[in-house]
Amino acid sequence: PVAAQMGGYLNQLNSYEQAFANMDMQMLTTRQERQAMKFRNKYATTSANLATYNPNQLPEESKGAWVRPYASFEKVGLSGGPNVENTMYGTFIGGDSDIIELKRGWDLVYSAYASYDGSHQNFDGVSIYQNGGHLGGTAVWYKDNFFTGLTANVGASVAEASTMYGNEDFPMLMTGIASKTGYNWELCKGKLIIQPSWTMSYTGIHPLNNTILNNGIRIENKSVHALQLSPGLKVIGNLKNGWQPYLGVNMRWNLLDETRVKANYINLPETSVKPYVEYGLGVQKTIGDKFTGFGQAMFRSGGRKGVSLSAGFRWALGKAPKKMDKT
């Protein structure tokens, strides 16, 4: 049950990263490009011989649908517990609204998403397969080079453990809320962007029943209520050919994530995920006025050791507006 709860917790942390991925894609671009998206077709001329200024449409301007598969391969060293080999995999799908203009220069985009999430934990002759999914929503606010997002979701999974005594099932309900805030410092006319950010989240992992194992031991596992705090830094390049490579690093601290489990009414040692560092690289490319894609690889050291791989594709929905001759 301890390893199963840990697997559920790590899947929940991944759901926050996936929920904020579109915001991250948007903030790889320069302020000038984002302003062009916002004010396209709002510049006018009184000359009949001149056409209205109409910069190229970017896909992130319009509502869109997206798909993001992911996979992660790692070893998790639990404090007070074993080293657990953990593999995660799945796919997120979702949709975004149009950019909604608010007062005082603020803009809003909201999203809804769903996922399939699978994972496998292995340690000391124990093998656990988990299958489940998430439903959630995200709201993101932009103003100039500042951005902040909030996401909340609910998930469920069933962990099936195989041991020397047979098979056991551990159903779980997962809930969580997370926020991410950052700012872009543009250098060299936007060709280079330095982006610090701050992410924090609350996660609740709720076992749905207590269990009597095949060896006759009664297991009582209480809910886990965990906080994660994470400062991050990203260095982004905007190349002339439209490619946007970036490097990123994040420090992750897990607080209050100790498991509380009793075996035959005896408290087992509390375990938690040790702090860890993520670092890696990615690249994004916009093709035409409908499609944006990205790929990313993040490596982990410390409490989690391994690599996380993800990719994403976003399609703008609807027809591109026609160019106006005059207004």
Side-chain angles (χ1 to χ4, degrees):
V2 172
Q5 284 182 319
M6 182 228 37
Y9 176 49
L10 298 184
N11 262 324
Q12 190 70 19
L13 293 179
N14 176 70
S15 74
Y16 308 141
E17 297 179 26
Q18 299 296 331
F20 291 135
N22 278 9
M23 177 177 71
D24 294 337
M25 293 171 70
Q26 171 84 330
M27 293 309 293
L28 292 181
T29 60
T30 66
R31 180 182 178 185
Q32 182 179 10
E33 291 174 316
R34 286 180 275 110
Q35 288 293 96
M37 286 194 306
K38 182 176 178 180
F39 294 113
R40 181 177 52 81
N41 282 339
K42 292 185 179 181
Y43 295 89
T45 176
T46 58
S47 172
N49 297 323
L50 296 177
T52 305
Y53 171 66
N54 183 18
N56 292 332
Q57 183 186 18
L58 295 179
E60 286 73 19
E61 175 189 4
S62 303
K63 59 186 177 182
W66 45 266
V67 177
R68 284 196 292 274
Y70 70 89
S72 178
F73 310 90
E74 61 188 346
K75 181 172 289 187
V76 183
L78 298 176
S79 62
N83 290 324
V84 180
E85 293 183 3
N86 182 53
T87 301
M88 298 190 301
Y89 44 87
T91 300
F92 278 72
I93 60 173
D96 303 326
S97 70
D98 292 319
I99 294 177
I100 301 170
E101 291 189 34
L102 306 176
K103 296 180 179 180
R104 299 181 181 179
W106 286 94
D107 298 312
L108 167 67
V109 175
Y110 59 87
S111 308
Y113 57 89
S115 72
Y116 161 73
D117 303 292
S119 65
H120 178 236
Q121 294 81 45
N122 181 51
F123 70 99
D124 296 341
V126 176
S127 177
I128 305 172
Y129 283 94
Q130 298 197 37
N131 289 282
H134 284 85
L135 292 173
T138 304
V140 180
W141 293 266
Y142 302 97
K143 185 176 182 179
D144 297 329
N145 281 341
F146 175 83
F147 61 95
T148 185
L150 184 68
T151 188
N153 63 39
V154 60
S157 70
V158 175
E160 181 179 351
S162 298
T163 72
M164 61 183 297
Y165 298 102
N167 296 332
E168 313 289 350
D169 291 332
F170 301 96
M172 293 179 292
L173 178 67
M174 300 167 287
T175 57
I177 185 170
S179 69
K180 183 173 183 177
T181 301
Y183 186 84
N184 280 7
W185 270 293
E186 296 188 7
L187 306 173
C188 304
K189 297 182 179 181
K191 294 179 181 178
L192 181 66
I193 298 175
I194 307 297
Q195 184 190 97
S197 64
W198 173 258
T199 305
M200 55 186 177
S201 64
Y202 158 77
T203 298
I205 307 297
H206 312 285
L208 296 182
N209 61 5
N210 294 321
T211 304
I212 298 179
L213 302 182
N214 289 328
N215 59 2
I217 296 177
R218 178 181 176 83
I219 296 293
E220 301 176 49
N221 47 334
K222 296 183 178 180
S223 297
V224 173
H225 300 277
L227 300 176
Q228 187 182 83
L229 306 178
S230 176
L233 182 67
K234 190 176 289 183
V235 180
I236 304 161
N238 280 282
L239 307 182
K240 290 183 178 180
N241 58 9
W243 288 95
Q244 295 171 302
Y246 58 90
L247 301 173
V249 61
N250 304 294
M251 182 67 199
R252 309 282 191 182
W253 282 283
N254 299 289
L255 307 174
L256 307 177
D257 63 328
E258 293 84 0
T259 59
R260 292 175 293 172
V261 179
K262 290 183 178 181
N264 284 349
Y265 308 102
I266 298 174
N267 289 317
L268 299 180
E270 294 182 347
T271 62
S272 61
V273 180
K274 301 174 185 177
Y276 58 95
V277 178
E278 289 181 334
Y279 52 92
L281 71 165
V283 65
Q284 177 172 293
K285 173 70 172 177
T286 297
I287 303 173
D289 59 10
K290 289 288 187 180
F291 178 80
T292 301
F294 83 98
Q296 176 180 278
M298 297 296 288
F299 302 89
R300 296 175 176 137
S301 296
R304 300 174 70 180
K305 298 179 180 179
V307 61
S308 173
L309 305 174
S310 61
F313 305 91
R314 185 186 189 275
W315 293 268
L317 301 178
K319 297 181 179 179
K322 296 181 179 179
K323 186 175 180 178
M324 299 174 61
D325 290 333
K326 59 182 180 178
T327 61

